[in-house]
Amino acid sequence: MRIYNKVFSFFILLVGSIVLNSCDDKLDLEPLYSQDADSYFSTPADYERALVGAYDLMQTSYLNLWIGEIASDNAIAGGESVNDTQGLHEIEAMNHNAVNNELRSVFQFNYAGITRTNYLFINKDNIDFPGKEVLFGEAHFLRAYYYFQLVKYFGDVPLIVDKFLGADEVTTIGRTPSAEVYAQIEADLIAASEVLDWTVEVEGKVTKGAALALLGRVYLYQDKFEEASQVLEQVINEGPYSLITTTSSEEYTDLFSVNQEGNSESVFEIQYSGQEGGSYGCLVCLEGFAAVGFQGIRQYEGPVYGDGNSYNLPTQDLYEAYALGDIRRNGTVLNLDEFISEQPNAAEISYAVGGGGHTGFYNNKYIKRQDELGLPDNDLTSPVNYRLIRLPDVYLMAAEAFNRKNGPDDAKALGYLNDVRERVGMPEVNFSGEQLTEAIWAERRLELSGEGFRFWDLVRTGRAAQEIDGFTAGKNELFPIPQIEIDLAGGNWNQNPNY
């Protein structure tokens, strides 16, 4: 059994009523529009349904994957033309501004997730039932996740906890300093880790390991290396996870397949289903992982892969970053022409190049494959889960934390780094100090490219200006607050610097 994404309308507090809607009938919410705020949270099932609604906004992870790669030196936007998802092309060129559909979606989707978790907390004391503590542990994790997305994109953001805002409050609330937002994120993740178990019966539910690993990531983004080293090592030493040795690029790529969902390296996955469709007009309504189909090969006719929209195309720079013999190169980056040349029917294989840019490379971790198609339109219904937290990431975060903390433990850092390299057949390295730091950062690119982390790694380590074309220091570390959100807040929010 797994938790599938169910799409609800936003929880809306209007004259004491709550509206619940869904694109899916599995939750049996009939009759629609019939429950109000006073009566809704009256059974354990009500809380479970609301929690599923809070999980639901995680399905918008396709935006984090795209922006985390396209804003960096790892990928270009691609697509049919430069007007195909124009906001991604603006982000690629580093000329984005406060009018950008993708950035507004990030802002809206994450606040929608926060609203749904807050609604649970507002009604926390209505009834008691077995498992309530764990349910709210999951809600703590979800709220932390959504706020973490917002603070890393936008910096200072309004912090709203355990309440709804009335119409008169919306135009008076200000942006909360990011340090306070981070403090709330930490508190939520600590609360979650204290009540959640390492394993769960329902696939897709948050675990103790997920909460601690995300907490370690949050600490790392704030340069809290001592704290990060402690919680990340707890995940490594106490969690039910283990690294997987792979001996070929095919085996490495397979770690991201449907068949390998929930493998021993997986700490937390965002769940998707290929059983229900959606539309291009509402990507947030999808049950499937939109990134996979959109990153497919345009008008492709041939073996293994499926046709798609050629988004998020890896760069030559990324391809050349891998050492000869590193199986992760072809496991991560599909060199399409090389792949075609190796096929026995190469002359019969064809594809098209989009006007949004072409590099010859495709994201081999998350790409449409013929044996993983969802229901039509299968561009929108990939069943592949997004691996939000993988154990190699935990090892590399721990390596960095031990290397960069006061009183560094380079021996332990080096051990974790080499563990990640050894599992893919790469030789051990032997560095210390700043050389070790650089080696860990380089390894993060080799291990995690195509997964949406590169831009944030470059920003948090101060390397973005030297690695990203067009990046302006003092500006592009943050994205602009969407102008329409500033307007809706009464114009009382200052824009981020230099936008």
Side-chain angles (χ1 to χ4, degrees), residues 186-324:
E186 292 172 12
D188 272 330
L189 290 173
I190 291 169
S193 67
E194 289 174 345
V195 298
L196 295 175
D197 294 326
W198 287 105
T199 59
V200 291
E201 294 183 1
V202 179
E203 186 177 346
K205 288 268 192 176
V206 178
T207 63
K208 183 184 188 73
L212 289 172
L214 185 58
L215 179 60
R217 185 179 290 171
V218 167
Y219 283 143
L220 202 66
Y221 275 56
Q222 300 173 82
D223 289 351
K224 294 183 175 181
F225 302 119
E226 181 64 46
E227 295 91 333
S229 66
Q230 293 175 19
V231 298
L232 292 167
E233 191 162 55
Q234 185 179 354
V235 176
I236 294 169
N237 290 340
E238 299 179 22
Y241 316 109
S242 59
L243 294 173
I244 297 173
T245 298
T246 55
T247 59
S248 69
S249 59
E250 291 79 13
E251 288 182 1
Y252 181 78
T253 302
D254 194 49
L255 296 176
F256 299 86
S257 69
V258 171
N259 291 334
Q260 285 272 8
E261 288 174 356
N263 64 51
S264 66
E265 285 194 348
S266 181
V267 179
F268 185 72
E269 299 179 6
I270 297 177
Q271 304 287 307
Y272 291 96
S273 167
Q275 298 303 306
E276 295 191 29
S279 74
Y280 288 91
C282 185
L283 295 185
V284 71
C285 300
L286 302 181
E287 301 281 351
F289 191 17
V292 173
F294 276 72
Q295 292 171 185
I297 307 163
R298 182 169 296 275
Q299 297 177 25
Y300 176 77
E301 294 186 9
V304 181
Y305 299 101
D307 72 299
N309 299 309
S310 63
Y311 275 46
N312 190 21
L313 303 175
T315 61
Q316 184 81 30
D317 182 76
L318 172 59
Y319 188 73
E320 293 177 351
Y322 290 90
L324 188 66

Side-chain angles (χ1 to χ4, degrees), residues 14-50:
L14 293 174
V15 198
S17 66
I18 180 172
V19 176
L20 287 173
N21 194 7
S22 177
C23 296
D24 189 314
D25 59 2
K26 292 182 182 176
L27 290 186
D28 191 23
L29 295 177
E30 300 293 347
L32 294 175
Y33 317 121
S34 64
Q35 292 179 295
D36 60 35
D38 292 331
S39 64
Y40 182 70
F41 287 98
S42 58
T43 70
D46 293 339
Y47 285 87
E48 285 289 351
R49 289 168 176 165

